[in-house]
Amino acid sequence: MFVLTSARHECASHDRSRISLAMAQAAQINVLDINTPLRVEHDKKRRQFSIRLNGSHDRAVLLYEYVGKKTVDLQHTEVPEAYRGREIAKHLAKAAMDFVVEEDLKAHLTCWYIQKYVKENPHPHYLERILH
């Protein structure tokens, strides 16, 4: 009987360890709440678009610079690794291209992701704004 009790105790202890490990890993994984819509913020002073992820310190950003009076360079998009593959950059790219259209600007697309976004969304109002 002692062996059986010891084996059960060992199993229960092992299960608790696995559960603790799984909970610790889950705490490290950043998961977007499906019910929370992504909100793109535009900071014109810093020349960036950003999305706060789960209300945390993590942010996805798209950086741009003015390279002329009516010309911007969409330079870089970055999404924290834990959030990649969830189309977050797509929201930033759309906001940036809509800004270019609304402000009647021309754009250089230095960022490879913006180039990809425009190729996948070849709207005439985007295409006529791009400088090659």
Side-chain angles (χ1 to χ4, degrees):
M1 192 68 165
F2 176 79
V3 174
L4 183 58
T5 304
S6 177
R8 281 187 188 159
H9 177 71
E10 187 175 317
C11 267
S13 176
H14 179 69
D15 286 345
R16 279 194 301 272
S17 294
R18 286 180 44 213
I19 291 168
S20 295
L21 178 61
M23 288 174 64
Q25 289 171 337
Q28 292 173 357
I29 296 172
N30 296 311
V31 180
L32 287 174
D33 183 354
I34 294 171
N35 298 323
T36 304
L38 296 177
R39 186 170 53 104
V40 178
E41 298 172 8
H42 185 190
D43 184 338
K44 290 184 178 184
K45 187 175 180 179
R46 291 177 137 177
R47 296 170 307 282
Q48 71 179 22
F49 293 88
S50 64
I51 297 173
R52 186 176 302 174
L53 303 166
N54 278 349
S56 71
H57 296 87
D58 291 330
R59 287 183 179 266
V61 297
L62 184 150
L63 305 175
Y64 67 92
E65 288 288 338
Y66 277 90
V67 294
K69 187 171 181 158
K70 297 288 277 178
T71 305
V72 293
D73 182 6
L74 303 177
Q75 297 178 325
H76 181 68
T77 304
E78 187 166 335
V79 176
E81 192 172 329
Y83 297 94
R84 292 182 187 162
R86 302 179 195 192
E87 297 190 343
I88 293 169
K90 184 177 182 178
H91 293 276
L92 293 169
K94 181 183 184 325
M97 289 307 301
D98 289 348
F99 164 70
V100 167
V101 170
E102 290 164 10
E103 297 293 319
D104 194 27
L105 302 172
K106 296 290 184 181
H108 290 284
L109 307 182
T110 300
C111 174
W112 70 267
Y113 187 85
I114 304 290
Q115 294 171 14
K116 176 181 179 256
Y117 175 80
V118 171
K119 185 176 182 180
E120 292 173 354
N121 300 276
H123 304 299
H125 56 280
Y126 289 168
L127 298 175
E128 65 192 23
R129 311 256 177 219
I130 298 169
L131 298 171
H132 298 280

